[in-house]
Amino acid sequence: VGTVADATREHRAVVEAERQRTRAAALMAAFPDGVMVLDEVGTVVEVNERLCAMAGRPRARLLGAAAPFPWCVPEAGGCPFGGAVPLERVVEEDVTLVRPDGAVVPAIATASALRAEGGVGLLVTFKDISDRKRAEAGEQALRRVAEAVAGGAPEERLFGLVAEEAGRLLRADAGAVIRFAGPETGRVVGRWADDGVPALDVVDLDGDGAVSRVAATGRPAHVADYAGATGALAEELRDLSYRSGAAAPVRVGGALWGAVAVAYRRPGAISPAAERRLARFAELIAMGLSNAEARAALAELATTDHLTGLPNRRAFEERLAADVERARRADAPLALVILDLDSFKRVNDDLGHPAGDRVLVEVARRLARVAR
């Protein structure tokens, strides 16, 4: 004896449920942010591939886990979206996703209640804010360099600060500021190394390394892998275990002054965006150098005779006072020589003051040859 029942309704329910699951899976896959679903007891029941990529873990590792999650560290401490108690409101929290290799991804986690037939769970989305954090870090680094420039920091301190800020911002292993001493060599005037490895003092600008290309073209350059680069500098970088690097030109008064550069111990660590960030540091270096040159020019103008180019009376009196004090401290003799130009008044009277000025300039030039 058997019975036959109409299962059309049940079949339609199964088909509709499968359709809804497919739609939900497609929606999670297309969502640009990471997505995590927790059930009523706080267990992860679904994640999308974007979250797997952000956390650096396969889907199977994330499913079935319960808070607190070792790969998600809230900045405020605790776990605002874990546990069996559903949230009564939408909660946002700055978190850091930690990958197995130690790399981190800053994100904003947003949790809200998810009501379903089985109870109330949680829907958590993770928005990657790495670009925003990098931009903020870049602005802070540039601000520190700009403050040093505005404060008239000595060149050695400014160059060292630029090398360190550029290196740290770009997550490089080393940074440097190189001043070109000609078409073939450069001198390292500012440096920073994350591991304290001694840096180079003088570099050759041959070959096709990043700094060499800047010196040759005046344009930003990067090298994805120094294993294939030529030149003495590329060889020295390989000896120090650096594999990739980037450099940007520093121009002062329209002329190529040098370059700011970073280096990495891993290949392929450079992107075009790194060149653009370096270019901003190069602009600040140029500004600092221009300011320093302007200050030096003003100081020279205040202490130099405009006609002869020799120190003026103000500079003479300052130097004389300092030399007298130094001679007293050392109990050493000090001599002062006074010169008079014979018949100089006649030159002015007979030939005019312009001729007298030319005589003064020539006398100053000859004195400068034989005296400091």
Side-chain angles (χ1 to χ4, degrees):
V1 178
T3 61
V4 177
D6 186 351
T8 302
R9 181 178 301 175
E10 289 79 0
H11 176 69
R12 287 176 178 172
V14 171
V15 171
E16 180 61 26
E18 182 62 29
R19 184 182 294 114
Q20 290 181 3
R21 282 194 294 270
T22 302
R23 188 182 299 116
L27 181 62
M28 290 186 66
F31 202 68
D33 300 330
V35 180
M36 176 176 68
V37 179
L38 289 77
D39 62 15
E40 64 276 5
V41 297
T43 302
V44 179
V45 294
E46 190 59 74
V47 295
N48 66 351
E49 289 301 322
R50 174 58 180 155
L51 180 59
C52 295
M54 293 172 66
R57 289 167 172 81
R59 185 170 181 271
R61 289 281 302 278
L62 300 181
L63 295 179
F69 307 111
W71 48 269
C72 181
V73 181
E75 289 189 5
C79 188
F81 44 81
V85 181
L87 296 173
E88 299 299 331
R89 57 187 177 82
V90 176
V91 174
E92 283 191 355
E93 177 76 17
D94 288 342
V95 300
T96 300
L97 305 185
V98 183
R99 295 175 176 171
D101 60 0
V104 297
V105 178
I108 296 178
T110 304
S112 58
L114 182 62
R115 304 183 185 278
E117 293 181 359
V120 180
L122 293 177
L123 174 66
V124 186
T125 61
F126 297 86
K127 184 176 184 60
D128 187 343
I129 56 173
S130 299
D131 291 341
R132 191 185 79 184
K133 289 289 187 181
R134 278 194 292 267
E136 291 175 353
E139 291 301 323
Q140 292 171 0
L142 290 169
R143 188 180 302 113
R144 287 190 289 268
V145 175
E147 289 173 352
V149 170
E155 289 185 0
E156 59 272 14
R157 178 174 173 270
L158 174 63
F159 297 151
L161 178 63
V162 169
E164 179 176 0
E165 293 289 357
R168 292 190 184 278
L169 176 64
L170 299 180
R171 298 180 182 178
D173 298 300
V177 176
I178 299 98
R179 180 171 187 175
F180 297 151
E184 298 179 354
T185 60
R187 183 169 60 89
V188 179
V189 294
R191 68 186 64 188
W192 170 83
D194 189 34
D195 54 5
V197 172
L200 305 172
D201 291 317
V202 178
V203 296
D204 293 324
L205 300 178
D206 60 338
D208 56 2
V211 175
S212 300
R213 284 159 58 186
V214 169
T217 67
R219 296 192 297 270
H222 73 271
V223 175
D225 193 342
Y226 274 113
T230 62
L233 179 56
E235 183 177 350
E236 291 173 333
L237 289 173
R238 286 195 297 268
D239 291 341
L240 293 171
S241 301
Y242 294 116
R243 295 293 304 277
S244 58
V250 177
R251 295 185 178 278
V252 178
L256 185 61
W257 178 92
V260 55
V262 293
Y264 298 80
R265 294 192 181 280
R266 60 190 186 280
I270 297 298
S271 68
E275 294 181 7
R276 292 192 292 270
R277 296 192 195 103
L278 276 179
R280 298 194 65 184
F281 281 98
E283 291 172 1
L284 286 176
I285 294 176
M287 187 185 304
L289 289 171
S290 298
N291 287 348
E293 289 182 353
R295 290 192 298 271
L298 288 174
E300 184 177 358
L301 183 63
T303 59
T304 302
D305 177 68
H306 73 281
L307 179 63
T308 64
L310 295 179
N312 61 14
R313 177 169 178 171
R314 170 185 167 184
F316 164 73
E317 291 177 345
E318 292 176 352
R319 179 65 181 270
L320 180 62
D323 283 348
V324 168
E325 180 61 27
R326 185 180 301 109
R328 285 174 176 168
R329 288 199 307 267
D331 193 21
L334 175 66
L336 175 62
V337 178
I338 298 177
L339 300 179
D340 181 39
L341 302 186
D342 293 342
S343 305
F344 181 69
K345 185 177 183 302
R346 285 179 52 191
V347 175
N348 285 328
D349 292 343
D350 295 346
L351 302 177
H353 285 280
D357 288 346
R358 290 195 295 272
V359 171
L360 284 177
V361 170
E362 180 62 20
V363 170
R365 186 177 67 83
R366 298 193 182 198
L367 285 175
R369 290 179 181 175
V370 296
R372 288 185 299 172

